[in-house]
Amino acid sequence: MSNVNLSINSTIKLNDGNEIPRLGFGVYEMSGSEAYDSVMIALEQGYRLIDTAAWYGNERECSKAVLDFCSNTGTPRSSIFYTTKLQSNKGSVATKRAIEASLKKCAGLGYIDLYLVHSPLGGPQKRKESWESILEAKEAGNIRSVGVSNYGVDHLTEMIASGYELPVVNQVDLHPFMTRDAIVELCRESNIALQAWAPLVRGERFQHPTILELAHHHSKTPAQILIRYSLQSGFIPLPKSTHRDRIIANKDVFDFELSDEEMKRLHALDEYLVTDWDVTEVE
């Protein structure tokens, strides 16, 4: 897949017609103040996709950073893509309350660009009820796009069979050491975009010989090689950092391209490496 013309301003059109930036910024495991400061740096550096979650406990600070950045720079709110997530599948009433809570925390934004179901945990019936409530919130205009996270083949097949509106995104752990080929294939067949959380493998493979060789060859860091792999795979990577220099470096990935052979070498590194959790095969 050639992506030589990619830039930090590049977007993908989702299956509902909305557009999402090709590169995002994640805030997992950041405190409120860390999230605010990091999101501000990311926005100043040109990132336009911010990915938070109720589970992270920093929705309020992330949305405030977006609002302050827009106010300080004159940037339209509509140019920032704000994502958050439903923490648990606990049924219709609980989902509606969770959506209301997230909307209150980002009240100044006016709406949520993308709302994801954080995981398939809860079972088929609770997943169904949660999805129905999320679709109702979308119909009401509180949410622009809807998606899922950590869904495996069986969960996605369940959604396809239901006849309901399909998710625009499935956000999963994707990188050369966890390629998830079956999930990727089904999402592509169903026009569901793939977001990669932990595209940097949480730093666990920065010293892998292949990563180091390619980093040296392209005069890039291991992190930049991994982000470029994600972009050229057609994924939307969500690198995270609280360090200004790394936030800046992680976007410096648009001035080189991995060859087809290099992409194949990286893809062949798959070892089903779980860097955090894996719920893609729960019932």
Side-chain angles (χ1 to χ4, degrees):
M1 180 182 295
S2 177
N3 293 273
V4 70
N5 295 319
L6 279 175
S7 77
I8 198 167
N9 298 314
S10 296
T11 61
I12 289 176
K13 181 172 283 190
L14 299 171
N15 64 31
D16 63 359
N18 293 325
E19 304 226 348
I20 186 171
R22 285 298 315 272
L23 176 65
F25 184 75
V27 296
Y28 176 51
E29 292 185 328
M30 290 188 195
S31 68
S33 60
E34 285 178 328
Y36 178 87
D37 293 342
S38 299
V39 168
M40 283 294 284
I41 294 169
L43 292 171
E44 289 165 357
Q45 294 300 319
Y47 291 82
R48 290 296 178 265
L49 164 55
I50 305 301
D51 183 88
T52 183
W55 207 330
Y56 303 167
N58 54 28
E59 289 173 296
R60 194 182 308 277
E61 291 82 2
C62 287
S63 61
K64 186 177 188 306
V66 172
L67 288 170
D68 287 352
F69 172 77
C70 290
S71 176
N72 294 342
T73 63
T75 302
R77 152 60 183 112
S78 59
S79 70
I80 311 296
F81 198 98
Y82 176 88
T83 301
T84 191
K85 309 177 189 77
L86 172 71
Q87 181 169 339
S88 305
N89 290 303
K90 293 183 177 179
S92 178
V93 174
T95 299
K96 290 175 181 178
R97 288 174 179 166
I99 293 171
E100 290 173 2
S102 287
L103 285 167
K104 285 181 180 178
K105 289 174 182 174
C106 69
L109 296 181
Y111 57 90
I112 293 168
D113 291 276
L114 175 62
Y115 193 76
L116 304 179
V117 181
H118 208 142
S119 86
L121 293 171
Q125 182 59 34
K126 295 300 184 184
R127 285 196 293 269
K128 177 177 177 290
E129 291 177 21
S130 294
W131 192 243
E132 289 173 342
S133 295
I134 290 170
L135 291 177
E136 288 177 12
K138 180 189 175 188
E139 185 68 23
N142 296 319
I143 296 168
R144 296 290 174 88
S145 294
V146 293
V148 296
S149 182
N150 300 300
Y151 270 44
V153 169
D154 288 348
H155 310 122
L156 293 168
T157 301
E158 174 185 282
M159 296 190 82
I160 292 167
S162 73
Y164 284 119
E165 179 180 338
L166 291 181
V168 299
V169 158
N170 184 20
Q171 184 182 124
V172 287
D173 193 12
L174 284 170
H175 47 74
F177 304 92
M178 174 67 93
T179 59
R180 299 191 184 277
D181 291 345
I183 293 175
V184 170
E185 181 179 2
L186 180 56
C187 285
R188 286 176 174 164
E189 289 174 354
S190 305
N191 196 22
I192 298 170
L194 286 152
Q195 288 186 317
W197 61 259
L200 305 183
V201 204
R202 297 174 69 85
E204 294 180 18
R205 293 295 183 270
F206 280 178
Q207 299 302 311
H208 189 282
T210 300
I211 302 298
L212 289 175
E213 178 189 335
L214 293 177
H216 176 74
H217 176 71
H218 289 282
S219 298
K220 291 293 180 180
T221 66
Q224 290 167 333
I225 294 297
L226 289 165
I227 293 170
R228 186 70 201 189
Y229 164 85
S230 191
L231 288 166
Q232 286 186 220
S233 296
F235 309 150
I236 301 165
L238 303 168
K240 54 156 283 192
S241 180
T242 58
H243 302 279
R244 176 182 291 271
D245 58 341
R246 294 177 189 170
I247 294 171
I248 294 171
N250 287 345
K251 75 179 181 67
D252 187 19
V253 293
F254 299 105
D255 58 352
F256 78 106
E257 185 174 17
L258 297 167
S259 69
D260 290 343
E261 182 60 32
E262 289 170 333
M263 289 292 291
K264 289 177 183 177
R265 287 183 63 194
L266 288 168
H267 194 79
L269 299 177
D270 183 37
E271 57 180 274
Y272 207 91
L273 176 65
V274 178
T275 61
D276 192 306
W277 70 330
D278 183 16
V279 292
T280 58
E281 295 185 1
V282 302
E283 292 184 3

